[in-house]
Amino acid sequence: MKDLEVEDSAQVHAAFLVYMDLTEVRQWKDVSCVKSTEPDVVLLEGRKKEGSPVQTVLPLPVHQSLSHRSIRRVLDRGFPMLLCAVASDSTLVYQRMTDGLVTPDPPAGPFQDVGRRQHRKRRQQH
Amino acid sequence: MAEPPCREASPVVAVSLCDSAPLLWRVEDLRAVRSQGLVGALLGSLPRTPRQNTRLGRPLLLLPEEERLLTERHGAALPPGPQDGGGAELRQQVDKYKEDQQRSYEEQSVLALEDRKSALLRATSFTHTGSEPGAGTADEALRGRLESLDQSFTFPRSGLAVQLSTARAGLSYCPEARAFLHADWPVRGLDDLHCNARYQVFRDLRRRGYYLTSAGKFGGDFLVYPGDPLRFHAHFIAVCLSLDESVCLLDVLAVARLGSNVKKTVLLCSPGTDSGVVYTSLQWSGMV
């Protein structure tokens, strides 16, 4: 990964941590690292399972900033994209980024009409 | 003479500016604006239920983007200023009002006197338990008291009941209300980069048929509804930024986490180069 010659060593370190997480913990297949010019970072590509489509992961230390344009550049590579924020204690947080307007999942059922008693209880709490 | 412009398509609403806040006061204006897909926010308290803020009344505050959109569609105008004959008309109205008050006072004095007399009669008839011998003198005393009441009774001006008519024929006809609604001409047209980004996003989403309201509660710029907010929950929290604006990853995390907690997708919106808008949906990753 160091051979990719990306200047930001913090980002390279973050990429390494994500690489270890994907391969050892989540057991993704075919994980490889790719250098991206704009933004100047190391990207990871891999599959969740054998035969599933390739996804791009953008690892970033949590204190760095980024622009919408650089996110779009990574999205424009054509693969589903995950942004991974790496904290100073190596905690990893993944977020999915998609082009366009994606309707959120509706709340899960089954739904029950709350009785009057519950409403009164809730009102009294305030 | 030019024909009056067809008003059915986009009626012109009267926007009152109160210290740079665009307000709508008339019910027909609120209805017209809602039918164009602009929601706004009600600010006023309702006269019958003043001490709560779940249900508010007029005026309606427009978002700066909504006001700008109305201006672009030539759908907004300031309410008409005071007419030239205002002075004479006003004097006539004041004179008429004074006459009405005087007439009402005279009527009420008469009624008050009647009321006093009947109260007196009632009081004496209670004490009078029909004892025959004292009847004559009691009657005379009563008549005497009634006569003195006739002469000395005065109805105080402070006791006058005044009727206030609350249904007005539209605030545009009321000069005092107009003076209150007008403030100094405010500084309009903020050319802030962020404001411009917000407006581009607002216009694009509105054109796609979404309804937008302010998202101060969620730390975003707009809440995006797939239809009228009275019928749907919001689907998206829109965060407007320019393409090259750099944002700290911590802020992205915070807003994404909030979005997942309230079951809304966070939408990063940036006006693009060709007057289109670029959208990126941010969702909490299901694999974590």
Side-chain angles (χ1 to χ4, degrees):
Chain A
M1 206 183 274
K2 281 220 175 96
D3 294 338
L4 291 173
E5 287 174 4
V6 170
E7 281 196 8
D8 190 352
S9 59
Q11 200 272 331
V12 177
H13 179 66
F16 174 68
L17 291 173
V18 178
Y19 178 86
M20 294 303 287
D21 182 62
L22 290 177
T23 48
E24 300 294 319
V25 180
R26 298 182 192 282
Q27 318 218 314
W28 274 31
K29 312 289 175 218
D30 307 333
V31 184
S32 61
C33 44
V34 171
K35 177 180 158 83
S36 144
T37 40
E38 168 64 46
D40 186 25
V41 290
V42 174
L43 293 175
L44 299 174
E45 283 181 350
R47 298 169 198 276
K48 196 166 171 186
K49 277 195 300 246
E50 208 71 53
S52 55
V54 174
Q55 302 192 44
T56 310
V57 182
L58 168 61
L60 271 187
V62 83
H63 289 286
Q64 279 194 8
S65 44
L66 72 166
S67 68
H68 196 187
R69 201 188 284 276
S70 36
I71 296 174
R72 296 301 302 185
R73 288 273 159 78
V74 180
L75 262 178
D76 286 340
R77 296 179 83 242
F79 304 120
M81 174 185 169
L82 282 171
L83 169 71
C84 183
V86 183
S88 49
D89 63 350
S90 313
T91 313
L92 303 173
V93 167
Y94 291 91
Q95 278 153 45
R96 183 159 297 288
M97 311 213 117
T98 328
D99 175 44
L101 290 91
V102 179
T103 317
D105 297 326
F111 301 109
Q112 230 180 11
D113 265 333
V114 189
R116 271 188 190 282
R117 208 148 164 265
Q118 284 288 45
H119 275 303
R120 224 180 295 128
K121 266 196 214 166
R122 251 184 237 135
R123 272 228 301 262
Q124 275 169 6
Q125 273 172 17
H126 295 308
Chain B
M1 193 156 117
E3 276 183 355
C6 170
R7 291 279 164 97
E8 280 111 16
S10 62
V12 180
V13 298
V15 177
S16 304
L17 294 168
C18 184
D19 246 7
S20 90
L23 300 176
L24 297 180
W25 288 91
R26 306 189 306 178
V27 171
E28 56 264 31
D29 289 344
L30 267 75
R31 216 179 284 140
V33 138
R34 191 77 173 219
S35 67
Q36 292 183 45
L38 305 176
V39 179
L42 289 169
L43 292 184
S45 65
L46 295 169
R48 294 192 183 204
T49 48
R51 301 176 75 169
Q52 50 87 30
N53 61 4
T54 29
R55 292 269 172 270
L56 295 173
R58 288 173 284 161
L60 185 82
L61 174 71
L62 296 174
L63 287 176
E65 290 79 29
E66 291 173 332
E67 188 208 354
R68 193 166 157 186
L69 197 69
L70 273 179
T71 321
E72 276 194 5
R73 292 181 186 171
H74 305 290
L78 290 173
Q83 283 98 18
D84 283 339
E89 218 179 276
L90 201 57
R91 270 196 295 281
Q92 269 180 12
Q93 284 180 355
V94 170
D95 290 335
K96 184 168 179 302
Y97 178 75
K98 285 191 177 155
E99 278 172 23
D100 287 340
Q101 289 294 83
Q102 186 57 29
R103 207 179 322 125
S104 168
Y105 175 71
E106 282 157 11
E107 285 172 11
Q108 286 190 36
S109 319
V110 170
L111 289 172
L113 184 56
E114 301 273 336
D115 210 36
R116 265 298 189 92
K117 285 186 184 170
S118 56
L120 189 58
L121 284 169
R122 247 181 293 134
T124 49
S125 69
F126 278 144
T127 55
H128 227 77
T129 43
S131 48
E132 285 299 331
T137 45
D139 268 343
E140 270 181 34
L142 182 60
R143 238 177 292 123
R145 282 168 78 178
L146 285 174
E147 277 174 20
S148 67
L149 198 60
D150 263 329
Q151 287 160 7
S152 66
F153 177 74
T154 46
F155 183 54
R157 200 85 196 197
S158 55
L160 176 66
V162 180
Q163 182 182 34
L164 297 170
S165 50
T166 48
R168 298 210 121 126
L171 286 176
S172 50
Y173 301 129
C174 182
E176 312 93 62
R178 260 210 310 279
F180 169 74
L181 295 175
H182 271 298
D184 303 312
W185 187 264
V187 176
R188 323 287 307 159
L190 301 149
D191 285 322
D192 195 16
L193 203 64
H194 185 240
C195 285
N196 213 29
R198 276 179 62 128
Y199 180 65
Q200 298 294 331
V201 172
F202 182 89
R203 202 169 53 167
D204 190 66
L205 284 173
R206 183 78 280 284
R207 208 175 25 217
R208 291 181 191 220
Y210 292 98
Y211 284 66
L212 295 122
T213 57
S214 162
K217 278 194 249 181
F218 296 90
D221 284 305
F222 301 112
L223 275 182
V224 184
Y225 295 78
D228 195 295
L230 287 172
R231 295 170 59 210
F232 296 92
H233 281 298
H235 279 182
F236 305 100
I237 303 171
V239 176
C240 306
L241 63 165
S242 63
L243 274 174
D244 294 310
E245 192 179 326
S246 90
V247 55
C248 184
L249 194 50
L250 279 174
D251 296 335
V252 175
L253 274 181
V255 79
R257 185 64 128 166
L258 171 59
S260 79
N261 272 353
V262 295
K263 296 188 181 59
K264 301 186 203 307
T265 302
V266 175
L267 212 54
L268 298 174
C269 318
S270 297
T273 40
D274 52 350
S275 84
V277 182
V278 177
Y279 300 103
T280 308
S281 291
L282 192 59
Q283 285 170 303
W284 197 248
S285 170
M287 60 180 264
V288 175

